[in-house]
């Protein structure tokens, strides 16, 4: 898993350096390594988190490059993995916030594609998760930002 984390870090450096091709290459290498780990241990928590982060990062990269269909596939993959993590760790705050973040990301993708009927349920689910988590950890800045985004996108979607 540490080799995959190194690839993920190298992808982040490539993104900062404005090198999307190198970023994508590093993310794919990260996934290749993680898939080997998950073949041996399918519920490996760190492996699942790394895979969710890498697939989400590929979704964002493809989104920024206007590769919308590919972006949607990566986000769907990330969502499935993130749901698995949240199910395996229902009491882990970060797992729940990550799930809500992924839901909001995919919802915004659907909204921007003119599919409000697909977007709205995702925003509503993200809001529900975050409101539950807010009761547990009321002052988490990331959770508050994602909650704001989910509610804001809901309002925008209603206006579309």
């Amino acid at each position: 898993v540490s080799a995959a984390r190194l690839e993920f870090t190298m992808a982040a450096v490539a993104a900062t350096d404005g090198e999307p091709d190198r970023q994508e290459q590093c993310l794919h290498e990260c996934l290749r390594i993680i898939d080997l780990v998950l073949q041996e241990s399918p519920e490996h928590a760190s492996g699942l988190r790394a895979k969710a982060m890498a697939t989400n990062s590929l979704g964002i990269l493809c989104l920024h490059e206007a590769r919308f269909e590919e972006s949607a596939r990566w986000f769907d993959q990330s969502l499935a993995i993130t749901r698995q993590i949240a199910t395996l760790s229902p009491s882990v705050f970060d797992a729940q916030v990550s799930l809500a973040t992924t839901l909001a990301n995919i919802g915004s993708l659907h909204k921007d594609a003119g599919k409000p009927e697909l977007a709205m349920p995702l925003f509503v689910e993200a809001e529900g998760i975050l409101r539950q988590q807010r009761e547990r950890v009321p002052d988490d800045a990331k959770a508050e930002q994602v909650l704001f985004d989910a509610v804001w996108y809901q309002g925008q979607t209603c206006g579309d």
Side-chain angles (χ1 to χ4, degrees):
V1 176
S2 57
R5 285 190 183 136
L6 175 60
E7 289 294 335
F8 189 81
T9 301
M10 289 170 52
V13 170
T16 301
D17 290 346
E19 298 179 37
D21 291 341
R22 188 168 61 111
Q23 177 188 8
E24 187 168 4
Q25 180 182 14
C26 292
L27 289 169
H28 282 289
E29 181 61 13
C30 174
L31 286 175
R32 187 191 69 74
I33 295 166
I34 288 302
D35 284 341
L36 293 173
V37 171
L38 293 174
Q39 283 177 3
E40 295 289 320
S41 181
E43 292 184 357
H44 190 284
S46 294
L48 288 169
R49 282 193 300 275
K51 186 166 185 170
M53 288 172 37
T55 53
N56 190 63
S57 294
L58 281 163
I60 292 168
L61 174 69
C62 292
L63 183 62
H64 290 295
E65 294 189 343
R67 293 161 36 196
F68 300 117
E69 288 181 20
E70 191 175 353
S71 177
R73 285 192 303 272
W74 286 120
F75 280 137
D76 287 344
Q77 211 177 97
S78 178
L79 178 59
I81 298 162
T82 306
R83 281 192 192 282
Q84 181 182 2
I85 295 166
T87 300
L88 291 170
S89 308
S91 64
V92 177
F93 177 79
D94 288 339
Q96 304 305 314
V97 173
S98 291
L99 174 57
T101 301
T102 302
L103 289 163
N105 285 342
I106 295 172
S108 66
L109 183 69
H110 289 311
K111 182 197 169 305
D112 292 344
K115 299 175 184 173
E117 70 283 358
L118 297 176
M120 187 59 82
L122 300 174
F123 296 140
V124 170
E125 184 179 355
E127 178 189 4
I129 290 167
L130 291 163
R131 289 200 185 279
Q132 282 182 328
Q133 297 310 308
R134 178 193 251 175
E135 293 174 14
R136 293 178 51 215
V137 182
D139 297 325
D140 186 81
K142 180 181 179 187
E144 283 299 313
Q145 182 62 53
V146 177
L147 176 59
F148 173 85
D149 292 346
V151 172
W152 184 76
Y153 278 124
Q154 282 181 56
Q156 270 198 329
T157 303
C158 286
D160 286 349

